Amino acid sequence: MNSNSKVKVIVLLLGFFYGIQLHAQPITVTDVVGREVTIPAPAKRVILGEGRQLITLSLLVPDPVSIIAGWTGDFAKSGGLLYEDYRKRFPAIDKIPLIGSSGKETVSTEQIISLKPDLAIFGAGSHGPDAKSADVIRQLEAAGIPIVFIDFRLHPFKNTVPSIEVLGKVLGQKQKATQFIDFYHRRMNYISGVLARHPDIKKPKVYMEMIRGAVPPGSPGKGNLGEFIEFVGGNNIGTILPGEVGTLNMEYVISEQPDVYVATGIAKPSEEGLVIGQNVYTNQTQQSLSKLASRQVVSPLHAIQQGKVYAMWHLFYDSPLNIAAVEALAKWTHPELFGKLQPHGVLKEINERFLAVPLKGVYFAELKK
């Protein structure tokens, strides 16, 4: 190629590049708490108020780590072997600056501002800054850093789709977001449609222990995983709790005699509690679930005595992957209607079509006799 040809190519490339920039339009979204937010172009440097939302980003962005300017350290603590798989796939994860450890009180607004992000992504109600973090919101907005709020934790079935829509727009991934939303609607509509055809079906009582390796375990109340139970036609005995999560008195639980027992966990294989999740084997989950079911505090429950004992990965509670947990709960709560559902099959489709790092291992289990 002679020098004149090279010059022409460079001019064409520059014209093409600047043409795109000149025609770029600002992006305006309304987030899940009703705030209208405008950014000049798709975000390339984002702050994650909860590190575990890396999983959500990986549904839309092939290399989600590359766009994270800073995050909290909660995913490293709670992600177990899944976090390790993200590290292997994206070694740059170790270089992401921390804006806090875990909990909104640990987050440094000064650190966020110093990282010069073009967007902060926070949960409407989360372990990081949320919609009630007035000082953080005020300081970031004063520094010219826009914030969008998403939610998969407080009201998952109201806010999952709007949250994905917002992320698709602000990250320049509208097509991928639309594909996931179509998939999500298809699976959810099937379950709601079947239940609509059986309006008088009995609602089994469900007791869920959110183990997380913690003692005492929590239970879902009127939001969070409690909405999952109610959506699939179950009766969540935790609705007496004042918030979305709390601790139930075991005398009350025994008096209710739930029909179904479900444990959630995030434990690594070396820890106590429910062993379930990435790269976990069936025998590990079965052994830990059997140990949980044999505790004196729950052994009097009819659900335990009748073998209606189940387990699932805890982090479904704060993720658009919640659709897989919905199918599992539908199957466990109403096997006569949903016995053929395969929640691990849902994860397989999500792995193949969306996730940057696939979920591999046991994510759902039924205690074998």
Side-chain angles (χ1 to χ4, degrees):
M1 181 182 295
N2 60 37
S3 59
N4 288 337
S5 297
K6 290 180 180 179
V7 170
K8 289 180 180 179
V9 170
I10 292 172
V11 170
L12 286 172
L13 289 174
L14 288 173
F16 178 74
F17 174 78
Y18 286 111
I20 288 177
Q21 300 303 309
L22 289 172
H23 289 91
Q25 297 294 319
I27 299 167
T28 299
V29 298
T30 300
D31 66 17
V32 298
V33 297
R35 299 167 67 257
E36 187 175 277
V37 181
T38 299
I39 58 176
K44 301 300 181 185
R45 288 179 53 79
V46 304
I47 294 292
L48 289 187
E50 282 188 289
R52 71 190 68 183
Q53 292 300 355
L54 174 63
I55 301 170
T56 300
L57 293 193
S58 74
L59 290 167
L60 305 176
V61 183
D63 182 356
V65 170
S66 67
I67 67 170
I68 301 176
W71 65 353
T72 55
D74 60 285
F75 187 37
K77 294 180 180 179
S78 65
L81 297 179
L82 179 59
Y83 179 77
E84 295 304 317
D85 277 359
Y86 270 92
R87 289 186 69 204
K88 293 174 185 175
R89 176 68 178 84
F90 304 110
I93 200 171
D94 292 331
K95 298 178 182 179
I96 299 176
L98 289 177
I99 61 169
S101 55
S102 182
K104 63 190 70 177
E105 70 281 354
T106 71
V107 171
S108 168
T109 307
E110 292 76 12
Q111 172 71 343
I112 294 175
I113 294 172
S114 73
L115 294 171
K116 299 180 180 179
D118 41 38
L119 181 68
I121 300 172
F122 293 159
S126 72
H127 297 297
D130 59 23
K132 296 181 181 179
S133 302
D135 287 343
V136 174
I137 296 170
R138 176 179 53 79
Q139 292 177 49
L140 294 187
E141 289 184 337
I145 299 172
I147 305 165
V148 293
F149 288 97
I150 59 175
D151 175 45
F152 308 104
R153 180 174 180 266
L154 291 180
H155 302 292
F157 302 128
K158 173 185 175 184
N159 290 333
T160 289
V161 168
S163 295
I164 292 293
E165 287 177 338
V166 166
L167 290 176
K169 291 176 181 177
V170 298
L171 299 178
Q173 298 289 340
K174 288 178 64 175
Q175 182 177 359
K176 202 68 177 288
T178 298
Q179 290 171 353
F180 183 83
I181 290 169
D182 290 345
F183 160 79
Y184 189 88
H185 277 315
R186 173 166 54 85
R187 310 298 302 215
M188 293 288 282
N189 289 344
Y190 171 75
I191 292 172
S192 61
V194 171
L195 290 171
R197 294 193 293 273
H198 298 84
D200 299 323
I201 195 168
K202 179 184 176 182
K203 293 187 174 183
K205 294 181 180 180
V206 179
Y207 172 48
M208 179 178 285
E209 284 191 305
M210 301 163 73
I211 303 292
R212 312 186 311 278
V215 178
S219 290
K222 295 181 177 65
N224 198 262
L225 285 168
E227 287 192 6
F228 291 48
I229 295 169
E230 298 291 330
F231 180 84
V232 302
N235 179 3
N236 173 31
I237 68 169
T239 53
I240 66 166
L241 292 168
E244 71 273 7
V245 178
T247 301
L248 291 173
N249 181 292
M250 286 309 298
E251 291 182 358
Y252 164 75
V253 175
I254 293 172
S255 71
E256 286 292 298
Q257 281 301 346
D259 304 291
V260 177
Y261 169 85
V262 181
T264 74
I266 55 176
K268 297 179 182 179
S270 61
E271 295 178 345
E272 293 296 319
L274 177 63
V275 181
I276 196 166
Q278 192 76 351
N279 298 324
V280 169
Y281 296 99
T282 300
N283 65 318
Q284 295 172 301
T285 302
Q286 286 294 320
Q287 289 172 7
S288 62
L289 185 55
S290 177
K291 186 176 180 180
L292 288 174
S294 64
R295 289 173 298 152
Q296 188 174 3
V297 70
V298 297
S299 58
L301 300 180
H302 289 167
I304 302 292
Q305 295 171 0
Q306 295 171 5
K308 301 293 183 66
V309 179
Y310 307 96
M312 70 181 188
W313 187 52
H314 180 68
L315 293 188
F316 285 124
Y317 89 102
D318 191 14
S319 162
L321 304 180
N322 55 36
I323 180 56
V326 169
E327 294 213 0
L329 287 168
K331 182 173 184 173
W332 300 336
T333 305
H334 290 292
E336 73 281 12
L337 298 180
F338 301 110
K340 293 183 179 181
L341 290 181
Q342 297 295 330
H344 274 110
V346 179
L347 292 186
K348 182 175 184 293
E349 184 173 351
I350 292 174
N351 285 339
E352 293 172 349
R353 296 183 57 194
F354 301 104
L355 280 177
V357 175
L359 301 183
K360 302 174 295 181
V362 178
Y363 280 82
F364 307 97
E366 176 181 357
L367 183 63
K368 298 178 181 177
K369 297 180 181 178

